[in-house]
């Protein structure tokens, strides 16, 4: 049990030890002058990662984070320290607090303490003799070694170039130097001007004091956004040789007051330039061309085609040269609007641009490779390109002329390169057209057609007319034939009566022969007309047949035949009386009326 | 006296026509010879001479199309095949060579699909020229007339029956063919089709050089001309796309 407690205690101790991670922030001084620099160090007594610095918004970061770590073994105990340090320079007078930094160790996130800094205008009050001495030295160096940043203009348009020059001024001997912080230049597109190797020093007089000056760095800046932008300072770490001050003034001092004699020491000093504010105006919205893509300066454009005539599938180059002064490197190749039958390759861009103190100038050559695929005339439309002219303070649109590219038949047969041949097309591959037609030809006049011609209409309408005519004819014929029959039948009675009248006349005159003839004619004629039978075809037997057919009663038929017999007989018999003739006459009338009734 | 003069004039006129017809036949055969001997330019010239004299035939257009095809003038070949097809749509050689030439056209235009019965109907209608339909229609009509005569004046019932049915069938068919002839005639004469003659031409959105290019057409494409404005023709493709083209870039079939 006791044993168990011991283990627990041990575990507790270990955990205590583990929690012992300390993350502290410290400064080398918390009262600094405006021109002074100070160092802030964040240190952790363990190994850690994911260091996250607080914001130094009130200070210029001259260098850092500089990371260092060390490990110590003391009496078997391992102690490890990791630290991050920054060189800072105040921006303005006042009291500031630097917030906590954070770091992760053993999976825990630890925060450092906050540090307050007082920035004074004058130099800080000395705290210790040694420090005082150092202060003096720094102050002294600061007065004799500084960097000035200068711009050629502070009020520019977005995209207008600014040349910023960093110049070092020194009256002390600098043993060694290194630019340890290059300005971040957020919001700018920068192009360094190449300076020839060594800094050449000149003498410059400022307020009656001679300084050795040299240009450290020259950069062309193109503001990429509008508003108030800041060019942050450039910091340079110098190793400055300073004389050590002796306490006693002796006669030798002057003599030995010489670097050669080692009465001097090297001091590290970080010199930083002044920040510069640039006021960037946005480009005017009025008259802004739609194809404006941000080019600013003074530019010109040329376009050329190396060949206006070519064969299909052979390349031509189309060159666009934009030259002048301005942000040439930011100019993008224009889009070519060509026929789909011309293949366009990605343009090759060749720059011949020099960045000098006068700014960026030169030319950008954009070369397109065009390959027309088919024979024909292709238009290469003119290109228009807009930029903002700084002298005119307005937009200028440049354009190039249109080119016509004449493409003749290539060596390859046209139609190669066609993809997507349909299934039904395959059967034609390698086939030739069929041979021409020969033989006797029937040529006809152009535009003369049979359809719609007079002949056509005659031939078309004739059958209709003929049909109509035939129908009409047939109708009439039928009607006519029907009419004559009807007429004859209707007339039969009439004619018979007429004949009977004549017969009556003969009876009165007692012309026996004529009388009987008329009577027989009336009878024969009546039957002939009534039944549409020619007289010549009639005989007594036929009449009998017809009458039987017509279902005439037997006694009537017998009477008719009897009368006809009587007439025949009486015509040739001599001597007859009028009584007999009278009887025949009345019986015939009776017969005809009876026949008329039955038929 | 006057009638005699007219007669002689008519005689000489008919003589000159027959002479030139013979002459044309001669030219036609000569052009064929040139074609056989690969003298394409001479062959084309001979054929064109006959055409410029104002005469045409399906075979003439077909042969001229062949000569142009061999001379690598695809657009002219297609134009002449189309003209030949117009005169004789059912000719297999014409259809074969036209299809083969169209295969060489760069642009592949998919026609808008039609309903099947409409397609059948169209196929039937376009299987003959309007002249052909007109002729067959007339033949059937006269057949119907004969049927009518027999029907009206025959005495036997049987022959009248047969005459009635064949006659009315012929009459209905005649009317159908006449309708085909009329439709085809309208299609051929009212609708203007054209062939692109430029190697490639931009079809514009408006009849104006500075308007937007909608698409590109290459030589040999058949298109329908639906409107005209100044020097510009509004065209429609088989797939329904429309646009404007300079009129000198196309030739009407």
């Amino acid at each position: 049990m006791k044993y168990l407690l011991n283990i627990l205690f041990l575990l507790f101790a270990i955990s205590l030890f583990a929690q012992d991670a300390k993350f502290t922030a410290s400064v080398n001084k918390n009262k600094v002058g405006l021109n002074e620099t100070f160092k802030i160090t964040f240190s952790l007594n363990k190994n850690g990662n994911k260091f996250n610095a607080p914001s130094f918004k009130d200070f210029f970061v001259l260098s850092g984070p500089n990371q260092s770590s060390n490990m110590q073994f003391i009496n078997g105990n391992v102690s490890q320290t990791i630290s991050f340090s920054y060189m800072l320079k105040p921006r303005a007078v006042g009291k500031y607090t630097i917030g906590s930094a954070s770091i992760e160790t053993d999976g825990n996130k630890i925060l450092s303490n906050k540090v307050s800094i007082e920035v004074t205008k004058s130099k800080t009050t000395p705290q210790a003799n040694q420090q005082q001495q150092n202060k003096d030295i720094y102050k002294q160096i600061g007065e004799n070694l500084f960097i000035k940043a200068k711009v050629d203009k502070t009020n520019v348009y977005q995209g207008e170039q600014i040349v910023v020059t960093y110049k070092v001024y020194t009256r002390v001997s600098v043993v060694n130097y290194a630019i340890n912080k290059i300005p971040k230049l957020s919001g700018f597109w920068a192009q360094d001007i190449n300076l020839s190797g060594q800094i050449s020093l000149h003498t410059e007089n400022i307020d009656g004091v001679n300084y050795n000056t040299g240009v450290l760095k020259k950069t062309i800046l193109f503001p990429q956004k509008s508003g108030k932008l800041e060019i942050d300072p450039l910091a340079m770490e110098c190793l400055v040789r300073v004389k050590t001050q002796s306490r006693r003034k002796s006669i030798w001092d002057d003599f030995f007051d010489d670097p050669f004699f080692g009465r001097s020491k090297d001091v590290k000093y970080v010199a930083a330039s002044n920040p510069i504010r640039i006021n960037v105006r946005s480009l005017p919205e009025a008259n802004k061309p739609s194809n404006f893509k941000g080019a600013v300066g003074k530019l010109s454009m040329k376009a050329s085609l190396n060949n206006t005539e070519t064969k299909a599938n052979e390349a031509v180059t189309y060159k666009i040269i934009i030259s002048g002064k301005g942000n040439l490197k930011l100019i993008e190749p224009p889009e070519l609007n060509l026929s789909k039958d011309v293949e366009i390759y990605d343009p090759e861009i060749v720059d011949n641009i020099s960045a000098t103190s006068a700014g960026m100038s030169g030319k950008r050559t954009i070369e397109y490779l065009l390959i027309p695929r088919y024979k024909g005339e292709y238009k290469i439309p003119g290109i228009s390109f807009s930029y903002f002219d700084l002298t005119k303070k307005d937009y200028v649109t440049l354009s190039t002329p249109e080119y016509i590219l004449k493409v003749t038949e290539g060596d390859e047969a046209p139609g190669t390169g066609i993809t997507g041949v349909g299934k039904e097309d395959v059967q034609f591959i390698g086939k030739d057209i069929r041979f021409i037609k020969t033989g006797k030809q029937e040529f006809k006049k152009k535009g003369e057609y049979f359809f719609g011609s007079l002949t056509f209409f005659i031939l078309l309408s004739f059958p209709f007319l003929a049909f109509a005519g035939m129908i009409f004819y047939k109708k009439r014929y039928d009607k006519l034939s029907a009419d004559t029959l009807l007429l004859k039948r209707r007339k039969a009675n009439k004619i018979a009566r007429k004949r009977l009248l004549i017969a009556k006349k003969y009876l009165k005159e007692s012309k026996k022969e004529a009388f009987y003839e008329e009577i027989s004619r009336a009878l024969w004629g009546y039957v002939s007309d009534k039944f549409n039978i020619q007289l010549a075809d009639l005989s007594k037997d036929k009449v009998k047949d017809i009458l039987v057919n017509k279902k005439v009663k037997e006694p009537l038929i017998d009477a008719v035949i009897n009368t006809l017999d009587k007439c025949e007989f009486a015509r040739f018999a001599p001597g007859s009386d009028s009584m007999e003739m009278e009887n025949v006459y009345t019986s015939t009338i009776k017969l005809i009326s009876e026949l008329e009734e039955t038929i | 006296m006057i009638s005699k003069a007219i007669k002689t004039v008519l005689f000489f006129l008919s003589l000159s026509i027959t002479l030139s017809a013979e002459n044309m036949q001669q030219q036609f055969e000569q052009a064929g010879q040139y074609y056989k001997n690969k003298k394409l330019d001479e062959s084309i010239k001979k054929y064109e001479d006959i055409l410029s004299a104002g005469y045409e035939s399906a075979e003439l257009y077909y042969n001229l199309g062949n000569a142009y095809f061999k001379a690598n003038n695809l657009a002219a070949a297609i134009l002449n095949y189309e003209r030949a097809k117009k005169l004789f749509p059912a000719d297999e050689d014409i259809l074969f060579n036209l299809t083969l030439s169209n295969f060489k056209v760069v642009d592949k235009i998919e026609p808008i699909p039609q309903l099947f019965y409409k397609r059948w109907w169209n196929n039937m209608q376009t299987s003959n020229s309007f002249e052909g339909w007109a002729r067959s229609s007339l033949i059937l009509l006269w057949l119907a007339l004969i049927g009518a005569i027999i029907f009206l004046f025959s005495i036997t019932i049987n022959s009248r029956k047969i005459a009635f049915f064949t006659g009315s069938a012929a009459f209905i068919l005649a009317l159908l063919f006449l309708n085909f002839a009329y439709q085809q005639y309208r299609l051929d004469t009212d609708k203007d089709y054209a062939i692109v003659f430029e190697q490639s031409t931009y079809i514009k959105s408006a009849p104006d050089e500075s308007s937007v290019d909608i698409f590109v057409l290459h030589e040999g494409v058949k298109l329908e001309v639906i409107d005209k404005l100044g020097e510009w023709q509004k065209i429609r493709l088989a797939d329904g796309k429309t646009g404007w083209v300079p009129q000198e870039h196309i030739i009407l079939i």
Side-chain angles (χ1 to χ4, degrees), chain A residues 469-524:
Chain A
M470 278 184 319
I471 298 265
F472 184 73
Y473 171 73
K474 184 149 182 13
K475 272 258 168 78
R476 236 190 101 157
Y477 170 81
D478 283 355
K479 203 176 159 194
L480 222 79
S481 50
D483 275 0
T484 45
L485 273 175
L486 214 74
L487 221 69
K488 266 189 175 173
R489 283 174 85 173
R490 224 187 293 148
K491 274 184 180 170
N493 197 19
K494 231 177 177 177
I495 291 165
R497 276 177 201 283
K498 250 184 195 168
R499 285 193 174 133
L500 285 175
L501 272 180
I502 297 166
K504 198 178 181 182
K505 209 174 95 188
Y506 290 137
L507 175 70
K508 277 184 182 161
E509 288 168 17
S510 295
K511 284 180 177 169
K512 194 182 83 182
E513 225 168 296
F515 170 77
Y516 281 111
E517 198 175 326
E518 275 314 308
I519 291 289
S520 75
R521 262 196 198 167
L523 266 177
W524 282 116

Side-chain angles (χ1 to χ4, degrees), chain B residues 14 36 41 43 57 105 114 129 136 142 183 233 237 240 253:
Chain B
S14 64
K36 261 181 222 165
D41 289 345
S43 174
S57 76
V105 175
Q114 278 178 323
S129 69
S136 353
W142 281 77
Q183 296 294 340
Q233 306 263 28
L237 291 180
I253 293 171

Side-chain angles (χ1 to χ4, degrees), chain A residues 165-209:
Chain A
T165 313
Y166 298 96
K167 233 171 170 183
V168 64
Y169 289 78
T170 173
R171 266 154 54 86
V172 294
S173 58
V174 176
V175 180
N176 202 354
Y177 72 94
I179 295 171
N180 60 352
K181 195 212 159 228
I182 292 164
K184 257 191 275 174
L185 300 169
S186 58
F188 292 100
W189 187 85
Q191 166 79 37
D192 280 341
I193 297 172
N194 253 346
L195 299 171
S196 50
Q198 202 73 37
I199 297 170
S200 58
L201 290 175
H202 303 278
T203 311
E204 202 173 296
N205 191 298
I206 296 172
D207 298 333
V209 182

Side-chain angles (χ1 to χ4, degrees), chain B residues 160-207:
Chain B
R160 285 182 60 158
K161 257 187 194 167
I162 292 166
F164 178 77
F165 285 117
T166 51
S168 30
F171 184 69
I172 289 166
L173 270 180
L175 287 187
L176 181 73
F177 286 7
L178 196 66
N179 170 56
F180 278 156
Y182 178 65
Q183 296 294 340
Q184 188 75 353
Y185 176 76
R186 278 197 50 195
L187 207 73
D188 282 1
T189 53
D190 288 7
K191 275 194 174 182
D192 287 331
Y193 286 95
I195 300 290
V196 175
F197 259 69
E198 282 293 297
Q199 267 297 328
S200 67
T201 181
Y202 290 89
I203 305 303
K204 301 273 190 180
S205 63

Side-chain angles (χ1 to χ4, degrees), chain B residues 112-126:
Chain B
I112 303 170
Q114 278 178 323
L115 280 172
F116 66 96
Y117 60 85
K118 247 185 155 177
R119 205 167 56 232
W120 290 346
W121 188 260
N122 278 346
N123 282 349
M124 201 146 85
Q125 186 191 312
T126 51

Side-chain angles (χ1 to χ4, degrees), chain A residues 210-230:
Chain A
N210 276 339
Y211 289 92
N212 285 325
T213 68
V215 177
L216 281 175
K217 189 176 166 70
K218 254 190 183 181
T219 307
I220 302 171
L221 300 177
F222 296 94
Q224 296 299 296
K225 58 183 183 187
S226 57
K228 287 197 169 10
L229 297 182
E230 197 179 69

Side-chain angles (χ1 to χ4, degrees), chain A residues 1-32:
Chain A
M1 187 68 194
K2 200 178 181 181
Y3 190 65
L4 200 76
L5 270 174
N6 270 340
I7 291 171
L8 271 175
F9 185 73
L10 248 163
L11 278 171
F12 187 58
I14 288 166
S15 68
L16 260 182
F17 183 72
Q19 275 179 349
D20 211 7
K22 260 190 174 175
F23 187 43
T24 52
S26 60
V27 286
N28 61 347
K29 50 194 169 190
N30 49 16
K31 274 190 175 178
V32 290

Side-chain angles (χ1 to χ4, degrees), chain A residues 424-458:
Chain A
E424 60 276 13
D425 294 336
V426 174
Q427 57 180 316
F428 290 110
I429 290 174
K431 284 208 179 166
D432 196 11
I433 52 168
R434 294 193 182 162
F435 194 68
I436 54 166
K437 288 177 190 286
T438 50
K440 184 94 181 121
Q441 289 303 300
E442 267 182 45
F443 296 107
K444 68 170 194 64
K445 270 271 183 204
K446 261 190 220 175
E448 258 178 27
Y449 300 118
F450 172 62
F451 179 72
S453 67
L454 188 67
T455 335
F456 172 76
F457 278 119
I458 290 170

